[in-house]
Amino acid sequence: MMRDILDTHTHTLASGHAYSTIRENTRAAFRKGLELLAITEHAPCLIGSCQTIYFQNLRVVDRNAYEVELLMGVELNILDQQGNVDLEVRTLRQMDVAIASLHTPCFTPGSREYNTQACINAMRNPYVNILGHPDDPRYPVDFRALVQAAKEHEVLLELNNSSLRPGGSRKNARGLDMEMLKLCMEYEAPIVIGSDAHVDTDVGRHDEALALLEELEFPESLVVNRSVEELKKYVNRFRK
């Protein structure tokens, strides 16, 4: 069984459409044996989420006051082909960890080339650590180009467990994830599994993702969930 001791993609009440608190999420992570948990609220351009001041005030949160080591970060919205995101650099550099993702309320799907370029440009941002759920079929992308760019810019590609769950909003993501993972093996590009939990019972839930990795015989050495120290090589809090 692959070692799985961290979750880099979770949301709390602050995101506006999630249903648990920081403490509830960390308790859930502890019960599931995790050693590290990232809270990554949706950035301001997503309707109903917290505003910039929320992220500017994260210094008040004690990262060691909970049952697991805590990272406080953000899930940014990629806004355009240039890869612009919805926090300014002066705020973004304060984030422990930053995911950049495409969301339909903030980015209108374009051509394969257009979507791909938006993701690659976002990964060029030195404060972006993870590309979130690149398996959304509403945004066709060139996975070879994404994997190459992620490797070059030391950005982790996310295998999003929520995408793989039956009834999810990202239809037929499994085939896209398989394509991405095979290319990650080819280029030796590391990935991270994220639950994308919007309620505490989903924190650390990686069952669908782990099953897919086992099916593909994906090497554990390319999955940073196995090691807190390995993850720390890629996140802002420890790269500054």
Side-chain angles (χ1 to χ4, degrees), residues 65-100:
Y66 299 89
E67 291 86 350
V68 297
E69 185 173 0
L70 190 63
L71 297 180
M72 297 299 294
V74 60
E75 184 179 11
L76 299 158
N77 298 292
I78 301 172
L79 302 176
D80 52 37
Q81 189 180 23
Q82 288 68 47
N84 290 311
V85 294
D86 48 345
L87 284 181
E88 295 180 358
V89 168
R90 66 188 181 94
T91 303
L92 190 52
R93 65 163 59 103
Q94 299 173 41
M95 299 299 98
D96 296 344
V97 58
I99 303 169

PDB file of all heavy atoms in Angstrom, residues 65-100:
ATOM      1  N   ALA A  65      -0.744  24.454  16.049  1.00  0.00           N
ATOM      2  CA  ALA A  65      -1.694  24.424  17.172  1.00  0.00           C
ATOM      3  C   ALA A  65      -2.731  23.315  17.038  1.00  0.00           C
ATOM      4  O   ALA A  65      -3.601  23.182  17.904  1.00  0.00           O
ATOM      5  CB  ALA A  65      -2.405  25.770  17.275  1.00  0.00           C
ATOM      6  N   TYR A  66      -2.619  22.533  15.990  1.00  0.00           N
ATOM      7  CA  TYR A  66      -3.644  21.529  15.727  1.00  0.00           C
ATOM      8  C   TYR A  66      -3.046  20.130  15.779  1.00  0.00           C
ATOM      9  O   TYR A  66      -1.856  19.954  16.042  1.00  0.00           O
ATOM     10  CB  TYR A  66      -4.302  21.815  14.369  1.00  0.00           C
ATOM     11  CG  TYR A  66      -4.983  23.159  14.344  1.00  0.00           C
ATOM     12  CD1 TYR A  66      -4.294  24.305  13.978  1.00  0.00           C
ATOM     13  CD2 TYR A  66      -6.319  23.290  14.720  1.00  0.00           C
ATOM     14  CE1 TYR A  66      -4.910  25.546  13.971  1.00  0.00           C
ATOM     15  CE2 TYR A  66      -6.957  24.526  14.715  1.00  0.00           C
ATOM     16  CZ  TYR A  66      -6.247  25.645  14.347  1.00  0.00           C
ATOM     17  OH  TYR A  66      -6.862  26.874  14.353  1.00  0.00           O
ATOM     18  N   GLU A  67      -3.862  19.149  15.491  1.00  0.00           N
ATOM     19  CA  GLU A  67      -3.420  17.758  15.615  1.00  0.00           C
ATOM     20  C   GLU A  67      -2.415  17.356  14.542  1.00  0.00           C
ATOM     21  O   GLU A  67      -1.699  16.366  14.692  1.00  0.00           O
ATOM     22  CB  GLU A  67      -4.638  16.823  15.546  1.00  0.00           C
ATOM     23  CG  GLU A  67      -5.554  16.904  16.748  1.00  0.00           C
ATOM     24  CD  GLU A  67      -6.604  18.001  16.639  1.00  0.00           C
ATOM     25  OE1 GLU A  67      -6.516  18.836  15.714  1.00  0.00           O
ATOM     26  OE2 GLU A  67      -7.506  18.038  17.493  1.00  0.00           O
ATOM     27  N   VAL A  68      -2.366  18.109  13.458  1.00  0.00           N
ATOM     28  CA  VAL A  68      -1.430  17.825  12.370  1.00  0.00           C
ATOM     29  C   VAL A  68      -0.733  19.129  11.984  1.00  0.00           C
ATOM     30  O   VAL A  68      -1.210  20.221  12.307  1.00  0.00           O
ATOM     31  CB  VAL A  68      -2.159  17.240  11.138  1.00  0.00           C
ATOM     32  CG1 VAL A  68      -2.803  15.917  11.463  1.00  0.00           C
ATOM     33  CG2 VAL A  68      -3.189  18.214  10.587  1.00  0.00           C
ATOM     34  N   GLU A  69       0.382  19.016  11.292  1.00  0.00           N
ATOM     35  CA  GLU A  69       1.042  20.220  10.779  1.00  0.00           C
ATOM     36  C   GLU A  69       0.123  20.859   9.742  1.00  0.00           C
ATOM     37  O   GLU A  69      -0.455  20.184   8.891  1.00  0.00           O
ATOM     38  CB  GLU A  69       2.389  19.866  10.152  1.00  0.00           C
ATOM     39  CG  GLU A  69       3.184  21.077   9.707  1.00  0.00           C
ATOM     40  CD  GLU A  69       4.589  20.738   9.252  1.00  0.00           C
ATOM     41  OE1 GLU A  69       4.965  19.544   9.272  1.00  0.00           O
ATOM     42  OE2 GLU A  69       5.318  21.684   8.882  1.00  0.00           O
ATOM     43  N   LEU A  70       0.009  22.172   9.805  1.00  0.00           N
ATOM     44  CA  LEU A  70      -0.976  22.878   8.992  1.00  0.00           C
ATOM     45  C   LEU A  70      -0.281  23.818   8.015  1.00  0.00           C
ATOM     46  O   LEU A  70       0.679  24.509   8.366  1.00  0.00           O
ATOM     47  CB  LEU A  70      -1.898  23.681   9.915  1.00  0.00           C
ATOM     48  CG  LEU A  70      -3.149  24.324   9.322  1.00  0.00           C
ATOM     49  CD1 LEU A  70      -4.106  23.265   8.787  1.00  0.00           C
ATOM     50  CD2 LEU A  70      -3.840  25.184  10.386  1.00  0.00           C
ATOM     51  N   LEU A  71      -0.760  23.829   6.784  1.00  0.00           N
ATOM     52  CA  LEU A  71      -0.390  24.851   5.809  1.00  0.00           C
ATOM     53  C   LEU A  71      -1.640  25.646   5.472  1.00  0.00           C
ATOM     54  O   LEU A  71      -2.702  25.063   5.238  1.00  0.00           O
ATOM     55  CB  LEU A  71       0.180  24.229   4.534  1.00  0.00           C
ATOM     56  CG  LEU A  71       1.474  23.418   4.655  1.00  0.00           C
ATOM     57  CD1 LEU A  71       1.879  22.877   3.281  1.00  0.00           C
ATOM     58  CD2 LEU A  71       2.596  24.251   5.255  1.00  0.00           C
ATOM     59  N   MET A  72      -1.522  26.964   5.443  1.00  0.00           N
ATOM     60  CA  MET A  72      -2.637  27.830   5.075  1.00  0.00           C
ATOM     61  C   MET A  72      -2.341  28.430   3.709  1.00  0.00           C
ATOM     62  O   MET A  72      -1.328  29.117   3.522  1.00  0.00           O
ATOM     63  CB  MET A  72      -2.831  28.926   6.113  1.00  0.00           C
ATOM     64  CG  MET A  72      -3.211  28.406   7.495  1.00  0.00           C
ATOM     65  SD  MET A  72      -4.772  27.480   7.530  1.00  0.00           S
ATOM     66  CE  MET A  72      -5.949  28.774   7.114  1.00  0.00           C
ATOM     67  N   GLY A  73      -3.219  28.154   2.753  1.00  0.00           N
ATOM     68  CA  GLY A  73      -2.936  28.591   1.397  1.00  0.00           C
ATOM     69  C   GLY A  73      -4.170  29.025   0.646  1.00  0.00           C
ATOM     70  O   GLY A  73      -5.140  29.532   1.220  1.00  0.00           O
ATOM     71  N   VAL A  74      -4.158  28.795  -0.649  1.00  0.00           N
ATOM     72  CA  VAL A  74      -5.201  29.320  -1.515  1.00  0.00           C
ATOM     73  C   VAL A  74      -5.332  28.437  -2.750  1.00  0.00           C
ATOM     74  O   VAL A  74      -4.358  27.857  -3.224  1.00  0.00           O
ATOM     75  CB  VAL A  74      -4.856  30.773  -1.945  1.00  0.00           C
ATOM     76  CG1 VAL A  74      -3.540  30.840  -2.704  1.00  0.00           C
ATOM     77  CG2 VAL A  74      -5.981  31.405  -2.764  1.00  0.00           C
ATOM     78  N   GLU A  75      -6.561  28.319  -3.238  1.00  0.00           N
ATOM     79  CA  GLU A  75      -6.786  27.779  -4.576  1.00  0.00           C
ATOM     80  C   GLU A  75      -7.140  28.952  -5.478  1.00  0.00           C
ATOM     81  O   GLU A  75      -8.251  29.485  -5.440  1.00  0.00           O
ATOM     82  CB  GLU A  75      -7.890  26.729  -4.610  1.00  0.00           C
ATOM     83  CG  GLU A  75      -8.033  26.127  -6.013  1.00  0.00           C
ATOM     84  CD  GLU A  75      -9.103  25.058  -6.139  1.00  0.00           C
ATOM     85  OE1 GLU A  75      -9.910  24.895  -5.210  1.00  0.00           O
ATOM     86  OE2 GLU A  75      -9.141  24.393  -7.203  1.00  0.00           O
ATOM     87  N   LEU A  76      -6.173  29.366  -6.251  1.00  0.00           N
ATOM     88  CA  LEU A  76      -6.318  30.513  -7.144  1.00  0.00           C
ATOM     89  C   LEU A  76      -7.154  30.171  -8.364  1.00  0.00           C
ATOM     90  O   LEU A  76      -7.207  29.017  -8.804  1.00  0.00           O
ATOM     91  CB  LEU A  76      -4.943  30.971  -7.614  1.00  0.00           C
ATOM     92  CG  LEU A  76      -3.970  31.432  -6.522  1.00  0.00           C
ATOM     93  CD1 LEU A  76      -2.541  31.332  -7.026  1.00  0.00           C
ATOM     94  CD2 LEU A  76      -4.313  32.850  -6.089  1.00  0.00           C
ATOM     95  N   ASN A  77      -7.768  31.184  -8.927  1.00  0.00           N
ATOM     96  CA  ASN A  77      -8.462  31.061 -10.197  1.00  0.00           C
ATOM     97  C   ASN A  77      -7.569  31.591 -11.312  1.00  0.00           C
ATOM     98  O   ASN A  77      -7.112  32.739 -11.254  1.00  0.00           O
ATOM     99  CB  ASN A  77      -9.764  31.853 -10.171  1.00  0.00           C
ATOM    100  CG  ASN A  77     -10.725  31.334  -9.129  1.00  0.00           C
ATOM    101  OD1 ASN A  77     -11.250  30.241  -9.243  1.00  0.00           O
ATOM    102  ND2 ASN A  77     -10.946  32.117  -8.077  1.00  0.00           N
ATOM    103  N   ILE A  78      -7.303  30.762 -12.299  1.00  0.00           N
ATOM    104  CA  ILE A  78      -6.627  31.240 -13.507  1.00  0.00           C
ATOM    105  C   ILE A  78      -7.646  32.066 -14.284  1.00  0.00           C
ATOM    106  O   ILE A  78      -8.761  31.612 -14.537  1.00  0.00           O
ATOM    107  CB  ILE A  78      -6.103  30.064 -14.343  1.00  0.00           C
ATOM    108  CG1 ILE A  78      -5.119  29.218 -13.515  1.00  0.00           C
ATOM    109  CG2 ILE A  78      -5.425  30.565 -15.621  1.00  0.00           C
ATOM    110  CD1 ILE A  78      -4.687  27.930 -14.186  1.00  0.00           C
ATOM    111  N   LEU A  79      -7.266  33.270 -14.665  1.00  0.00           N
ATOM    112  CA  LEU A  79      -8.236  34.218 -15.205  1.00  0.00           C
ATOM    113  C   LEU A  79      -8.190  34.384 -16.722  1.00  0.00           C
ATOM    114  O   LEU A  79      -9.194  34.788 -17.318  1.00  0.00           O
ATOM    115  CB  LEU A  79      -8.042  35.592 -14.543  1.00  0.00           C
ATOM    116  CG  LEU A  79      -8.155  35.617 -13.019  1.00  0.00           C
ATOM    117  CD1 LEU A  79      -7.851  37.019 -12.508  1.00  0.00           C
ATOM    118  CD2 LEU A  79      -9.543  35.161 -12.569  1.00  0.00           C
ATOM    119  N   ASP A  80      -7.037  34.103 -17.336  1.00  0.00           N
ATOM    120  CA  ASP A  80      -6.907  34.393 -18.768  1.00  0.00           C
ATOM    121  C   ASP A  80      -5.764  33.581 -19.357  1.00  0.00           C
ATOM    122  O   ASP A  80      -5.061  32.852 -18.647  1.00  0.00           O
ATOM    123  CB  ASP A  80      -6.703  35.893 -19.014  1.00  0.00           C
ATOM    124  CG  ASP A  80      -5.568  36.473 -18.171  1.00  0.00           C
ATOM    125  OD1 ASP A  80      -4.560  35.768 -17.968  1.00  0.00           O
ATOM    126  OD2 ASP A  80      -5.683  37.623 -17.712  1.00  0.00           O
ATOM    127  N   GLN A  81      -5.553  33.732 -20.645  1.00  0.00           N
ATOM    128  CA  GLN A  81      -4.519  32.967 -21.337  1.00  0.00           C
ATOM    129  C   GLN A  81      -3.122  33.335 -20.845  1.00  0.00           C
ATOM    130  O   GLN A  81      -2.189  32.531 -20.941  1.00  0.00           O
ATOM    131  CB  GLN A  81      -4.607  33.186 -22.854  1.00  0.00           C
ATOM    132  CG  GLN A  81      -3.710  32.253 -23.660  1.00  0.00           C
ATOM    133  CD  GLN A  81      -3.810  32.490 -25.142  1.00  0.00           C
ATOM    134  OE1 GLN A  81      -4.195  33.562 -25.588  1.00  0.00           O
ATOM    135  NE2 GLN A  81      -3.464  31.489 -25.944  1.00  0.00           N
ATOM    136  N   GLN A  82      -2.992  34.530 -20.314  1.00  0.00           N
ATOM    137  CA  GLN A  82      -1.699  34.974 -19.801  1.00  0.00           C
ATOM    138  C   GLN A  82      -1.359  34.331 -18.446  1.00  0.00           C
ATOM    139  O   GLN A  82      -0.270  34.524 -17.921  1.00  0.00           O
ATOM    140  CB  GLN A  82      -1.671  36.501 -19.666  1.00  0.00           C
ATOM    141  CG  GLN A  82      -1.611  37.235 -21.007  1.00  0.00           C
ATOM    142  CD  GLN A  82      -2.893  37.094 -21.816  1.00  0.00           C
ATOM    143  OE1 GLN A  82      -3.992  37.273 -21.277  1.00  0.00           O
ATOM    144  NE2 GLN A  82      -2.758  36.781 -23.090  1.00  0.00           N
ATOM    145  N   GLY A  83      -2.313  33.585 -17.882  1.00  0.00           N
ATOM    146  CA  GLY A  83      -2.062  32.901 -16.625  1.00  0.00           C
ATOM    147  C   GLY A  83      -2.186  33.775 -15.400  1.00  0.00           C
ATOM    148  O   GLY A  83      -1.730  33.405 -14.313  1.00  0.00           O
ATOM    149  N   ASN A  84      -2.809  34.953 -15.560  1.00  0.00           N
ATOM    150  CA  ASN A  84      -3.028  35.811 -14.401  1.00  0.00           C
ATOM    151  C   ASN A  84      -3.959  35.132 -13.402  1.00  0.00           C
ATOM    152  O   ASN A  84      -4.865  34.382 -13.791  1.00  0.00           O
ATOM    153  CB  ASN A  84      -3.620  37.151 -14.837  1.00  0.00           C
ATOM    154  CG  ASN A  84      -2.620  37.994 -15.596  1.00  0.00           C
ATOM    155  OD1 ASN A  84      -1.495  38.184 -15.158  1.00  0.00           O
ATOM    156  ND2 ASN A  84      -3.014  38.492 -16.760  1.00  0.00           N
ATOM    157  N   VAL A  85      -3.741  35.397 -12.120  1.00  0.00           N
ATOM    158  CA  VAL A  85      -4.547  34.809 -11.049  1.00  0.00           C
ATOM    159  C   VAL A  85      -5.102  35.929 -10.168  1.00  0.00           C
ATOM    160  O   VAL A  85      -4.737  37.095 -10.315  1.00  0.00           O
ATOM    161  CB  VAL A  85      -3.727  33.814 -10.210  1.00  0.00           C
ATOM    162  CG1 VAL A  85      -3.334  32.600 -11.052  1.00  0.00           C
ATOM    163  CG2 VAL A  85      -2.481  34.484  -9.616  1.00  0.00           C
ATOM    164  N   ASP A  86      -5.989  35.555  -9.236  1.00  0.00           N
ATOM    165  CA  ASP A  86      -6.761  36.570  -8.534  1.00  0.00           C
ATOM    166  C   ASP A  86      -6.262  36.934  -7.135  1.00  0.00           C
ATOM    167  O   ASP A  86      -7.042  37.334  -6.274  1.00  0.00           O
ATOM    168  CB  ASP A  86      -8.244  36.199  -8.488  1.00  0.00           C
ATOM    169  CG  ASP A  86      -8.519  34.787  -8.046  1.00  0.00           C
ATOM    170  OD1 ASP A  86      -7.590  33.972  -8.023  1.00  0.00           O
ATOM    171  OD2 ASP A  86      -9.691  34.480  -7.753  1.00  0.00           O
ATOM    172  N   LEU A  87      -4.953  36.831  -6.921  1.00  0.00           N
ATOM    173  CA  LEU A  87      -4.307  37.476  -5.786  1.00  0.00           C
ATOM    174  C   LEU A  87      -3.039  38.147  -6.303  1.00  0.00           C
ATOM    175  O   LEU A  87      -2.319  37.587  -7.142  1.00  0.00           O
ATOM    176  CB  LEU A  87      -3.928  36.477  -4.686  1.00  0.00           C
ATOM    177  CG  LEU A  87      -5.045  35.944  -3.788  1.00  0.00           C
ATOM    178  CD1 LEU A  87      -4.454  34.998  -2.746  1.00  0.00           C
ATOM    179  CD2 LEU A  87      -5.836  37.052  -3.111  1.00  0.00           C
ATOM    180  N   GLU A  88      -2.758  39.345  -5.796  1.00  0.00           N
ATOM    181  CA  GLU A  88      -1.537  40.043  -6.182  1.00  0.00           C
ATOM    182  C   GLU A  88      -0.318  39.351  -5.566  1.00  0.00           C
ATOM    183  O   GLU A  88      -0.417  38.644  -4.560  1.00  0.00           O
ATOM    184  CB  GLU A  88      -1.600  41.493  -5.709  1.00  0.00           C
ATOM    185  CG  GLU A  88      -2.699  42.308  -6.383  1.00  0.00           C
ATOM    186  CD  GLU A  88      -2.719  43.741  -5.880  1.00  0.00           C
ATOM    187  OE1 GLU A  88      -1.904  44.079  -4.978  1.00  0.00           O
ATOM    188  OE2 GLU A  88      -3.547  44.519  -6.389  1.00  0.00           O
ATOM    189  N   VAL A  89       0.824  39.591  -6.176  1.00  0.00           N
ATOM    190  CA  VAL A  89       2.058  38.936  -5.738  1.00  0.00           C
ATOM    191  C   VAL A  89       2.346  39.227  -4.272  1.00  0.00           C
ATOM    192  O   VAL A  89       2.774  38.332  -3.522  1.00  0.00           O
ATOM    193  CB  VAL A  89       3.241  39.369  -6.627  1.00  0.00           C
ATOM    194  CG1 VAL A  89       4.573  38.922  -6.004  1.00  0.00           C
ATOM    195  CG2 VAL A  89       3.106  38.778  -8.018  1.00  0.00           C
ATOM    196  N   ARG A  90       2.095  40.444  -3.821  1.00  0.00           N
ATOM    197  CA  ARG A  90       2.416  40.779  -2.428  1.00  0.00           C
ATOM    198  C   ARG A  90       1.609  39.951  -1.436  1.00  0.00           C
ATOM    199  O   ARG A  90       2.063  39.690  -0.327  1.00  0.00           O
ATOM    200  CB  ARG A  90       2.211  42.281  -2.172  1.00  0.00           C
ATOM    201  CG  ARG A  90       0.767  42.744  -2.274  1.00  0.00           C
ATOM    202  CD  ARG A  90       0.696  44.260  -2.199  1.00  0.00           C
ATOM    203  NE  ARG A  90      -0.673  44.739  -2.263  1.00  0.00           N
ATOM    204  CZ  ARG A  90      -1.418  44.989  -1.201  1.00  0.00           C
ATOM    205  NH1 ARG A  90      -0.924  44.783   0.017  1.00  0.00           N
ATOM    206  NH2 ARG A  90      -2.653  45.447  -1.336  1.00  0.00           N
ATOM    207  N   THR A  91       0.411  39.528  -1.841  1.00  0.00           N
ATOM    208  CA  THR A  91      -0.388  38.631  -1.004  1.00  0.00           C
ATOM    209  C   THR A  91      -0.018  37.181  -1.261  1.00  0.00           C
ATOM    210  O   THR A  91       0.127  36.382  -0.337  1.00  0.00           O
ATOM    211  CB  THR A  91      -1.888  38.834  -1.267  1.00  0.00           C
ATOM    212  OG1 THR A  91      -2.219  40.202  -1.042  1.00  0.00           O
ATOM    213  CG2 THR A  91      -2.733  37.947  -0.373  1.00  0.00           C
ATOM    214  N   LEU A  92       0.190  36.850  -2.513  1.00  0.00           N
ATOM    215  CA  LEU A  92       0.472  35.469  -2.894  1.00  0.00           C
ATOM    216  C   LEU A  92       1.762  34.959  -2.269  1.00  0.00           C
ATOM    217  O   LEU A  92       1.850  33.800  -1.861  1.00  0.00           O
ATOM    218  CB  LEU A  92       0.535  35.379  -4.422  1.00  0.00           C
ATOM    219  CG  LEU A  92       0.586  34.002  -5.062  1.00  0.00           C
ATOM    220  CD1 LEU A  92      -0.531  33.113  -4.559  1.00  0.00           C
ATOM    221  CD2 LEU A  92       0.515  34.140  -6.587  1.00  0.00           C
ATOM    222  N   ARG A  93       2.737  35.820  -2.132  1.00  0.00           N
ATOM    223  CA  ARG A  93       4.012  35.367  -1.556  1.00  0.00           C
ATOM    224  C   ARG A  93       3.893  35.023  -0.069  1.00  0.00           C
ATOM    225  O   ARG A  93       4.767  34.377   0.498  1.00  0.00           O
ATOM    226  CB  ARG A  93       5.116  36.409  -1.765  1.00  0.00           C
ATOM    227  CG  ARG A  93       4.919  37.731  -1.061  1.00  0.00           C
ATOM    228  CD  ARG A  93       6.247  38.504  -0.993  1.00  0.00           C
ATOM    229  NE  ARG A  93       6.799  38.754  -2.309  1.00  0.00           N
ATOM    230  CZ  ARG A  93       6.751  39.935  -2.949  1.00  0.00           C
ATOM    231  NH1 ARG A  93       6.146  40.970  -2.369  1.00  0.00           N
ATOM    232  NH2 ARG A  93       7.294  40.078  -4.121  1.00  0.00           N
ATOM    233  N   GLN A  94       2.777  35.426   0.557  1.00  0.00           N
ATOM    234  CA  GLN A  94       2.554  35.089   1.956  1.00  0.00           C
ATOM    235  C   GLN A  94       1.890  33.721   2.139  1.00  0.00           C
ATOM    236  O   GLN A  94       1.800  33.220   3.267  1.00  0.00           O
ATOM    237  CB  GLN A  94       1.666  36.145   2.611  1.00  0.00           C
ATOM    238  CG  GLN A  94       2.241  37.550   2.606  1.00  0.00           C
ATOM    239  CD  GLN A  94       1.240  38.571   3.109  1.00  0.00           C
ATOM    240  OE1 GLN A  94       0.520  38.336   4.073  1.00  0.00           O
ATOM    241  NE2 GLN A  94       1.173  39.705   2.439  1.00  0.00           N
ATOM    242  N   MET A  95       1.417  33.111   1.059  1.00  0.00           N
ATOM    243  CA  MET A  95       0.716  31.837   1.158  1.00  0.00           C
ATOM    244  C   MET A  95       1.693  30.693   1.393  1.00  0.00           C
ATOM    245  O   MET A  95       2.731  30.603   0.729  1.00  0.00           O
ATOM    246  CB  MET A  95      -0.085  31.561  -0.121  1.00  0.00           C
ATOM    247  CG  MET A  95      -1.160  32.593  -0.449  1.00  0.00           C
ATOM    248  SD  MET A  95      -2.428  32.737   0.821  1.00  0.00           S
ATOM    249  CE  MET A  95      -1.822  34.188   1.720  1.00  0.00           C
ATOM    250  N   ASP A  96       1.352  29.801   2.301  1.00  0.00           N
ATOM    251  CA  ASP A  96       2.188  28.619   2.518  1.00  0.00           C
ATOM    252  C   ASP A  96       2.226  27.745   1.275  1.00  0.00           C
ATOM    253  O   ASP A  96       3.244  27.125   0.961  1.00  0.00           O
ATOM    254  CB  ASP A  96       1.632  27.782   3.677  1.00  0.00           C
ATOM    255  CG  ASP A  96       1.668  28.514   5.004  1.00  0.00           C
ATOM    256  OD1 ASP A  96       2.374  29.529   5.120  1.00  0.00           O
ATOM    257  OD2 ASP A  96       0.975  28.049   5.935  1.00  0.00           O
ATOM    258  N   VAL A  97       1.089  27.649   0.601  1.00  0.00           N
ATOM    259  CA  VAL A  97       0.956  26.806  -0.587  1.00  0.00           C
ATOM    260  C   VAL A  97      -0.099  27.416  -1.490  1.00  0.00           C
ATOM    261  O   VAL A  97      -1.081  27.991  -1.008  1.00  0.00           O
ATOM    262  CB  VAL A  97       0.582  25.350  -0.195  1.00  0.00           C
ATOM    263  CG1 VAL A  97      -0.711  25.300   0.586  1.00  0.00           C
ATOM    264  CG2 VAL A  97       0.518  24.448  -1.421  1.00  0.00           C
ATOM    265  N   ALA A  98       0.110  27.328  -2.794  1.00  0.00           N
ATOM    266  CA  ALA A  98      -0.849  27.898  -3.741  1.00  0.00           C
ATOM    267  C   ALA A  98      -1.127  26.915  -4.870  1.00  0.00           C
ATOM    268  O   ALA A  98      -0.204  26.428  -5.533  1.00  0.00           O
ATOM    269  CB  ALA A  98      -0.342  29.218  -4.313  1.00  0.00           C
ATOM    270  N   ILE A  99      -2.407  26.636  -5.050  1.00  0.00           N
ATOM    271  CA  ILE A  99      -2.903  25.844  -6.174  1.00  0.00           C
ATOM    272  C   ILE A  99      -3.464  26.818  -7.201  1.00  0.00           C
ATOM    273  O   ILE A  99      -4.098  27.811  -6.827  1.00  0.00           O
ATOM    274  CB  ILE A  99      -4.016  24.888  -5.710  1.00  0.00           C
ATOM    275  CG1 ILE A  99      -3.532  23.976  -4.580  1.00  0.00           C
ATOM    276  CG2 ILE A  99      -4.564  24.066  -6.871  1.00  0.00           C
ATOM    277  CD1 ILE A  99      -4.653  23.199  -3.906  1.00  0.00           C
ATOM    278  N   ALA A 100      -3.270  26.560  -8.462  1.00  0.00           N
ATOM    279  CA  ALA A 100      -3.915  27.346  -9.521  1.00  0.00           C
ATOM    280  C   ALA A 100      -4.809  26.411 -10.323  1.00  0.00           C
ATOM    281  O   ALA A 100      -4.372  25.337 -10.748  1.00  0.00           O
ATOM    282  CB  ALA A 100      -2.880  28.003 -10.427  1.00  0.00           C
TER     283      ALA A 100
END
